[in-house]
Amino acid sequence: GVQDILHYLLDKNIHINICTNKRQHVAEKILKLMDLFDNFDFIVGAKENVPLKPHRQMIDFICNQYDSNENEFIMVGDTNVDILAAKNAEIGSIIVDGGYTNKDCKSLGADFYLNDMSELKSVLNL
């Protein structure tokens, strides 16, 4: 359901970005191979002098690209590192089950829990 939700969010003029601990060039290559690259405004991956999540720097970089405040941003992730990064950046967080973590997603302290990406519409009240 990821492609469907991406298209839905784009139709609603919602900016979508990626913060990943994967190397920048690897993340871009994967997104291009999956035909998803053009769905994102910014892709921030691991590179020299950029601290990895859960540090907040990647999120801060993206937030600073927009004329908005932190209340308008939310991290959607699938690991504890994503949730900690959101908390460190003082933005909301959503955890999606079925990702890279072997921990119980409901125990990770996110603001919202999703069984799958199709539930994102209702959480965001779109």
Side-chain angles (χ1 to χ4, degrees), residues 2 24 27 50 52 56 63 74 76 81 87 89 96 105 111 122:
V2 173
Q24 178 82 29
V50 176
L52 299 178
R56 66 181 286 161
C63 292
I74 193 159
V76 178
V81 172
K87 288 180 188 289
V96 182
C105 286
D111 297 314
S122 62

Side-chain angles (χ1 to χ4, degrees), residues 24-124:
Q24 178 82 29
H25 70 278
V26 172
E28 291 175 0
K29 183 176 182 177
I30 290 169
L31 291 167
K32 287 176 184 174
L33 288 171
M34 296 176 73
D35 198 26
L36 295 174
F37 184 83
D38 293 331
N39 292 299
F40 302 97
D41 293 337
F42 297 98
I43 300 162
V44 181
K47 52 188 163 194
E48 196 171 319
N49 299 320
V50 176
L52 299 178
K53 295 179 298 180
H55 194 281
R56 66 181 286 161
Q57 186 172 337
M58 288 180 183
I59 295 172
D60 287 343
F61 171 81
I62 287 175
C63 292
N64 290 331
Q65 304 307 306
Y66 300 98
D67 185 26
S68 299
N69 64 55
E70 287 81 14
N71 294 333
E72 296 177 13
F73 297 94
I74 193 159
M75 165 71 87
V76 178
D78 62 357
T79 69
N80 188 47
V81 172
D82 296 323
I83 303 312
L84 289 173
K87 288 180 188 289
N88 289 338
E90 300 176 31
I91 64 171
S93 61
I94 299 173
I95 189 83
V96 182
D97 206 355
Y100 286 110
T101 190
N102 58 0
K103 296 180 181 180
D104 176 21
C105 286
K106 291 180 181 177
S107 71
L108 298 180
D111 297 314
F112 299 95
Y113 166 83
L114 306 179
N115 288 301
D116 61 63
M117 287 297 289
S118 67
E119 297 174 352
L120 187 59
K121 293 177 194 178
S122 62
V123 169
L124 296 178

